[in-house]
Amino acid sequence: MKSFLSIIIIYIASLGVTSAQSKQYLKEEADDYFKVGRYWDAFFLYKDLAKVPEFQGDLSVENQIKNSSKAMYLWKKTEDYRAFRKYDIAKQHLGDLLVINPYDPNRGLYPRLTLEQATEMQRLAMSQRNPQAVADILSKAVKLYNLALDEGLKDEMVFSLIKQCENVLEKNQYSNIKQPTTYGINFEKEKEAERTRTVEIIKNL
C-alpha cells in the first residue's frame, strides 16, 4: 500500500514538473518569436502567459507585452515613412526598434535607408539647372553615401555612385572637390580591409 501511495505521489509531482517545463517552454517560444521579429505572434503569446498563475506579476512578461506592441508600431512607421521617402524619420523609428530588439531581421535596412536617401539626393541634383544647387545637393549625397558605408553597408555599387557624384563635382566651379576624392580613399580602405581579411583566412587554414 505504501509503495502504491509513493508511486501516486511521484506521478503527481512529475505532472507538476512537466507542467512547469511546458509553461517555461512557452516563455522561451515567445522570446524566440520576439527575437526574430514576429512581434504579432510574440505579443499574443506573452498576453496568454500573463494569465498563467506562474507568470502573473512577472515584470519580464509584462515588459515584453509592451515591447512587442511598440515594436509593431515602430516597424509600421518605418515602412510608412520609407514609402513617403521621409528617410530621416524612417531611420529614427527603425533605430528605436533596434534599441528594443538588436536582433531584428530588418536591422540591415538601416544603412539601406541612408543609401536610398543619397540616391534620391543624387537624382535631385542632376535635375537642377543652377550649378551651385547641383554642387550643394551632390555634396550632401556624397556625405550620405559615405555615411551608409560607415553604418556598415557592404556594396561595391556605393563606391561607383560616389565616383559619379565626385566626377561631376570636380568640374563644378562651386565645388572644392579635388583629388584624391573620398571615392578613392574609401575604395582603397575597403580593398585594404579585404586584403587583410584574405591574409587572415590564409593564415588560419
Side-chain angles (χ1 to χ4, degrees):
M1 186 66 178
K2 287 183 179 180
S3 177
F4 178 74
L5 286 174
S6 298
I7 292 171
I8 293 296
I9 292 169
I10 292 170
Y11 176 72
I12 293 171
S14 67
L15 285 178
V17 171
T18 302
S19 177
Q21 289 176 339
S22 177
K23 289 164 186 174
Q24 185 58 38
Y25 173 78
L26 288 175
K27 173 68 164 55
E28 292 172 0
E29 186 178 17
D31 291 340
D32 288 340
Y33 280 151
F34 183 85
K35 189 174 181 180
V36 299
R38 292 177 58 177
Y39 302 117
W40 182 267
D41 295 321
F43 175 78
F44 284 104
L45 199 48
Y46 285 127
K47 289 277 283 185
D48 289 340
L49 279 170
K51 300 172 186 176
V52 176
E54 286 85 345
F55 289 101
Q56 286 180 354
D58 189 322
L59 290 179
S60 66
V61 172
E62 292 178 5
N63 286 336
Q64 283 303 84
I65 291 173
K66 295 175 184 176
N67 285 338
S68 299
S69 177
K70 189 175 182 181
M72 284 189 281
Y73 168 82
L74 290 170
W75 175 241
K76 180 67 168 59
K77 286 298 180 182
T78 299
E79 290 183 304
D80 289 346
Y81 283 112
R82 183 189 187 189
F84 288 115
R85 297 177 181 176
K86 302 287 186 180
Y87 298 109
D88 287 333
I89 306 176
K91 285 181 67 178
Q92 181 181 336
H93 282 87
L94 181 57
D96 290 343
L97 172 57
L98 294 177
V99 170
I100 296 173
N101 180 19
Y103 303 100
D104 188 284
N106 296 297
R107 60 190 178 276
L109 178 62
Y110 195 86
R112 286 282 168 189
L113 289 171
T114 307
L115 175 63
E116 290 176 18
Q117 186 178 13
T119 305
E120 189 76 15
M121 282 272 188
Q122 185 177 358
R123 282 197 294 264
L124 177 63
M126 301 316 295
S127 68
Q128 303 297 310
R129 294 185 178 181
N130 185 317
Q132 187 163 5
V134 172
D136 290 343
I137 298 172
L138 272 186
S139 296
K140 291 177 183 177
V142 170
K143 288 179 181 178
L144 286 169
Y145 281 131
N146 281 287
L147 178 59
L149 293 172
D150 292 340
E151 290 171 343
L153 184 65
K154 301 297 181 184
D155 194 328
E156 286 283 336
M157 176 188 68
V158 181
F159 295 114
S160 297
L161 292 169
I162 293 174
K163 186 176 182 181
Q164 288 174 18
C165 293
E166 293 188 335
N167 282 342
V168 174
L169 286 169
E170 284 181 307
K171 301 169 186 174
N172 190 301
Q173 59 179 314
Y174 296 100
S175 171
N176 59 359
I177 289 289
K178 297 177 182 178
Q179 292 290 349
T181 63
T182 55
Y183 162 77
I185 294 170
N186 280 315
F187 185 78
E188 286 305 317
K189 280 183 180 178
E190 185 66 17
K191 287 300 181 185
E192 181 58 35
E194 186 60 37
R195 284 194 291 269
T196 302
R197 284 194 292 269
T198 303
V199 170
E200 289 297 323
I201 290 171
I202 293 172
K203 283 181 179 179
N204 293 328
L205 288 177

